[in-house]
Amino acid sequence: MKDKENSSGHTSPPVCTLLTVGQAFSGTQNVSSHQKDEAWRVNVRIQGCDLDHGYLCGTMEALNVPMADTPVNDGLVNIQNVLAVMLTLLSHDVCQVVTFWEGEIVDGKNYTFFTGKWEALSEDDIRHWTKFPSFQPFLEQVKVDGGKSLDLINYPYIFMRWKEQYFVNVGTDCGLTIAGFYYVCFSCTDGSINGFYYDPNSSPFQKLELKSTNEGRSGFSFSFYELQ
């Protein structure tokens, strides 16, 4: 069966059996900084996927979340802010934080490699995309037009951006931020996901590493949360 080509000359994104509604992924996000070396466990589930429009969405569950970064003055941590974060998380009686995110699939038709929002300049885009070895063949063309002229249909990787939209099980006063977004590279071969979080006000290049799991298709599910 051949992939359908649209009127603009772009083909539909490759169909990956591991990038479908209900698929679950598990791994870690490294949140190391010059002050500390930490990582938390992360579960992701795809809740919706529309390849024709370059859209997908899902939930991200961070387990055993460490304390959020706190302001530093003259090398000393602001103790009042640390205590505020701890008390807020304890008041919610949770050890995990769940967010709902929406994603943009880079396909040259709906979205390019240039973000154009969320405080990301083209230089920021290039700096993050080049962290993925699979992006290197496209670098020069992306510099020219953001990748609009690239044919990604048969490429074994899918590039995306994931933007968290809101907290599901805690309030915005939980002490964590979702102001940034993820640059994501998905492998159609084994379902692995690598990503880097971008937020000008957070530690740079926080790495997300996930692998596809079979739990979602064999009875396992995340704790139930009502999505707004």
Side-chain angles (χ1 to χ4, degrees), residues 2-227:
K2 292 184 178 180
D3 296 294
K4 294 182 180 179
E5 185 171 343
N6 60 42
S7 58
S8 65
H10 288 280
T11 50
S12 300
V15 177
C16 292
T17 57
L18 293 174
L19 191 65
T20 55
V21 175
Q23 180 63 50
F25 304 86
S26 181
T28 61
Q29 178 172 338
N30 185 294
V31 293
S32 298
S33 69
H34 65 281
Q35 296 172 305
K36 55 189 176 183
D37 185 11
E38 294 179 338
W40 59 58
R41 290 191 296 124
V42 175
N43 292 325
V44 167
R45 186 181 298 280
I46 304 297
Q47 304 287 353
C49 186
D50 182 353
L51 295 179
D52 287 337
H53 294 89
Y55 174 85
L56 75 164
C57 63
T59 50
M60 179 179 292
E61 181 180 42
L63 305 174
N64 301 320
V65 177
M67 290 182 297
D69 288 337
T70 54
V72 176
N73 293 315
D74 298 326
L76 297 177
V77 176
N78 188 320
I79 300 301
Q80 288 184 329
N81 286 343
V82 172
L83 292 175
V85 171
M86 294 178 64
L87 291 173
T88 300
L89 290 175
L90 288 173
S91 67
H92 285 289
D93 193 27
V94 297
C95 61
Q96 74 273 9
V97 175
V98 181
T99 56
F100 174 79
W101 56 267
E102 292 184 303
E104 301 175 346
I105 299 173
V106 176
D107 55 11
K109 177 184 65 171
N110 297 287
Y111 301 101
T112 72
F113 285 97
F114 288 156
T115 304
K117 52 188 172 183
W118 304 327
E119 298 187 66
L121 303 176
S122 58
E123 293 82 1
D124 299 314
D125 294 327
I126 294 296
R127 188 162 56 250
H128 284 76
W129 290 126
T130 51
K131 288 286 185 180
F132 305 113
S134 54
F135 171 80
Q136 293 300 329
F138 308 129
L139 177 57
E140 295 307 316
Q141 190 57 45
V142 169
K143 289 181 179 179
V144 174
D145 63 3
K148 290 181 180 179
S149 59
L150 292 173
D151 183 3
L152 303 174
I153 182 59
N154 293 315
Y155 203 58
Y157 296 90
I158 295 179
F159 300 97
M160 299 176 276
R161 284 177 289 266
W162 291 359
K163 179 70 175 75
E164 291 168 295
Q165 300 296 330
Y166 57 82
F167 293 102
V168 175
N169 66 327
V170 297
T172 56
D173 59 345
C174 68
L176 302 177
T177 177
I178 55 174
F181 68 96
Y182 294 87
Y183 292 88
V184 175
C185 179
F186 172 85
S187 171
C188 295
T189 304
D190 60 12
S192 63
I193 291 175
N194 286 283
F196 291 95
Y197 187 72
Y198 172 74
D199 179 355
N201 300 311
S202 297
S203 300
F205 304 116
Q206 296 180 28
K207 190 172 184 179
L208 180 70
E209 295 180 287
L210 304 172
K211 292 185 178 180
S212 63
T213 66
N214 295 321
E215 288 87 345
R217 299 177 187 275
S218 61
F220 173 86
S221 63
F222 294 126
S223 302
F224 177 78
Y225 303 104
E226 182 179 355
L227 300 179

